[in-house]
Amino acid sequence: MSAITAWFAKLPRNAQLSVQRLTLYGWLRLLLIVSVYVFLIRPWLMKLAEKSQIAAHEKAAKTSAAGPNVLRGHAQAGGDEGGNAAEGKDDETSKTSSWSWGPKARKRQKQAVDEAVEKELRQAEQDAEDADVEFLKKYCT
């Protein structure tokens, strides 16, 4: 334990002396080492890590039993996502997910989109009016 304490106590002095004693050759060598790391090794390591992370995410997504409908609570994990198979229906909807937009949800979504578009138009009109007023103030007075 005392060796570690002594090492940490001597660290600032040793670092200062090693920088003071560097020759031109030492500075060039240090610059070369840092440059190789920053411009060659580090980008390569980052790309390698990115590829491995993407592969891990894809593997996890493939092995995951929870699909989007399971996460929403509309189907059971590992079971039939159709929801109609238990009722004995063999139509086209049993082959797809059981979740769909209801008429009220479609209406609410359409109203929300319309309100957002109206808000943007009002904002654009107000900005245009403000620009016109500024132009008139600048050139008509």
Side-chain angles (χ1 to χ4, degrees):
M1 187 68 176
S2 64
I4 294 173
T5 308
W7 187 82
F8 276 111
K10 294 178 182 179
L11 182 65
R13 183 181 55 90
N14 290 340
Q16 184 182 15
L17 287 176
S18 64
V19 171
Q20 286 177 352
R21 291 180 184 166
L22 276 179
T23 61
L24 179 63
Y25 175 77
W27 280 109
L28 290 175
R29 184 172 178 235
L30 181 64
L31 179 69
L32 179 69
I33 291 169
V34 170
S35 299
V36 166
Y37 170 75
V38 169
F39 295 113
L40 296 177
I41 296 173
R42 189 170 186 270
W44 180 76
L45 288 174
M46 295 298 284
K47 286 180 185 178
L48 184 67
E50 180 183 0
K51 287 179 184 179
S52 67
Q53 187 177 20
I54 289 172
H57 283 289
E58 288 175 353
K59 183 179 177 183
K62 286 180 183 178
T63 60
S64 174
N69 288 331
V70 172
L71 295 174
R72 286 188 204 110
H74 294 289
Q76 299 296 324
D80 180 47
E81 289 187 18
N84 293 333
E87 298 170 7
K89 296 181 182 177
D90 273 340
D91 56 343
E92 288 296 318
T93 59
S94 67
K95 294 177 184 174
T96 62
S97 67
S98 64
W99 184 87
S100 65
W101 288 89
K104 290 182 181 179
R106 277 190 228 115
K107 189 174 182 179
R108 281 192 307 266
Q109 183 66 25
K110 186 176 186 305
Q111 286 175 349
V113 168
D114 291 342
E115 288 174 4
V117 169
E118 285 179 27
K119 184 178 178 182
E120 285 184 29
L121 288 175
R122 275 188 261 126
Q123 185 65 32
E125 288 175 5
Q126 186 178 11
D127 291 344
E129 288 175 8
D130 291 345
D132 291 341
V133 169
E134 291 297 322
F135 177 78
L136 291 174
K137 282 182 181 178
K138 184 176 181 181
Y139 292 109
C140 292
T141 55

